[in-house]
Amino acid sequence: MSFSLEGKTCLVTGAGRGIGRAIALALGAAGADVAITYSRSEGPAKEVEAEIIKMGRKALIFQADAIDGKRADEVIGEITKAWGKLDILVNNAGITKDTLIMRMSEEQWDDVIETNLKSVFNYSKAAVRPMMKQRSGSIINIGSIVGVSGNAGQTNYSASKAGMIGFTKSLAKELATRNVRVNLVAPGYITTDMTDKLGEATLEAINKSIPMGKGGQPEDVANAVQFLGSDASAYITGVVLHVDGGMVM
């Protein structure tokens, strides 16, 4: 099912590959103009831009380090200058640096917290002013079920995603009177290029842990984002939506 985003403008951070790419394409397919950021590889981002333009939509791409607050202000400013407004912000940029805490360096901790959590602060803060001014908007943060359940070897990643939940609920309360909604999508095990490299035994064990018996696709997450960005979710804010096949209930 597709929810119309005709006339809306969007920004998806970290949208060159995987879940971010699927989200950007789903928003474009629903009728939105889509801007995306990438941190290092321009090629995949250019491919996403080309696909969105093929749909008959406008597209913009920006090289941006997610932890750079000044750059976040610049990106949002350029989007609102080009398109006049920003309706949907999807905070998707994120990394993992998994290891047991006994082996985790301070750098591994800081890198994950900054990229995953500080980036959400940077882009949300930059987007709040134009959204409040237009008295409408939807901020959608891409979290993870490990922010709810935890996971051994991912204390840094789990902490960053749990922090995003608190951030989402607090910002939702700040902005509700201005008709700006803030929600979080928490994916479970999603099949991507990275997970394809896991061994068959590992994949089988993961699938057994999922009540629905299979991993999700990036499009499953993108569909949830499309809904939360659309007017069909106009009375929903402060929600954590699990897209996990029942892994966390």
Side-chain angles (χ1 to χ4, degrees):
M1 182 177 182
S2 178
F3 296 92
S4 176
L5 298 176
E6 289 289 338
K8 294 187 182 293
T9 65
C10 313
L11 169 63
V12 184
T13 65
R17 295 185 174 89
I19 290 173
R21 178 182 187 278
I23 290 170
L25 295 179
L27 298 179
D33 295 329
V34 185
I36 67 172
T37 69
Y38 69 95
S39 59
R40 291 180 180 83
S41 301
E42 183 182 32
K46 293 290 287 183
E47 290 174 7
V48 174
E49 178 190 36
E51 289 196 48
I52 292 168
I53 291 171
K54 268 188 194 177
M55 298 173 186
R57 310 310 313 168
K58 296 175 185 174
L60 294 169
I61 65 170
F62 301 93
Q63 194 284 324
D65 189 328
I67 66 172
D68 186 339
K70 182 180 177 182
R71 183 61 177 144
D73 289 337
E74 291 172 351
V75 168
I76 299 292
E78 289 187 46
I79 292 169
T80 55
K81 183 178 179 180
W83 293 341
K85 60 175 183 170
L86 177 64
D87 298 303
I88 300 166
L89 166 65
V90 183
N91 285 308
N92 171 74
I95 61 170
T96 59
K97 292 193 175 182
D98 299 346
T99 189
L100 297 175
I101 197 165
M102 290 176 61
R103 299 171 186 157
M104 186 178 293
S105 67
E106 186 174 350
E107 182 182 12
Q108 288 172 315
W109 173 270
D110 288 345
D111 285 350
V112 171
I113 296 296
E114 284 202 340
T115 301
N116 296 1
L117 188 54
K118 187 180 178 183
S119 65
V120 173
F121 164 77
N122 287 338
Y123 279 88
S124 297
K125 183 179 180 181
V128 160
R129 190 176 299 277
M131 287 184 174
M132 289 178 68
K133 186 176 180 180
Q134 66 201 31
R135 300 191 71 84
S136 67
S138 176
I139 297 173
I140 304 161
N141 298 320
I142 306 302
S144 169
I145 60 166
V146 303
V148 179
S149 66
N151 193 36
Q154 288 191 310
T155 52
N156 49 4
Y157 186 72
S158 298
S160 72
K161 296 302 185 178
M164 286 172 63
I165 292 173
F167 180 94
T168 297
K169 291 179 177 292
S170 298
L171 189 58
K173 289 185 176 183
E174 285 188 26
L175 301 180
T177 59
R178 297 300 183 96
N179 197 37
V180 178
R181 301 179 295 109
V182 189
N183 294 290
L184 183 142
V185 175
Y189 175 74
I190 303 297
T191 302
T192 63
D193 291 343
M194 291 177 65
T195 61
D196 287 342
K197 297 175 184 177
L198 298 175
E200 189 173 331
T202 302
L203 291 172
E204 185 177 347
I206 291 171
N207 288 336
K208 282 183 178 178
S209 72
I210 303 171
M212 292 187 72
K214 62 180 181 179
Q217 299 298 316
E219 289 74 19
D220 294 319
V221 181
N223 289 340
V225 171
Q226 191 185 80
F227 165 66
L228 290 173
S230 75
D231 293 340
S233 62
Y235 199 55
I236 298 174
T237 195
V239 162
V240 176
L241 177 57
H242 293 183
V243 182
D244 66 354
M247 287 183 76
V248 176
M249 296 190 187

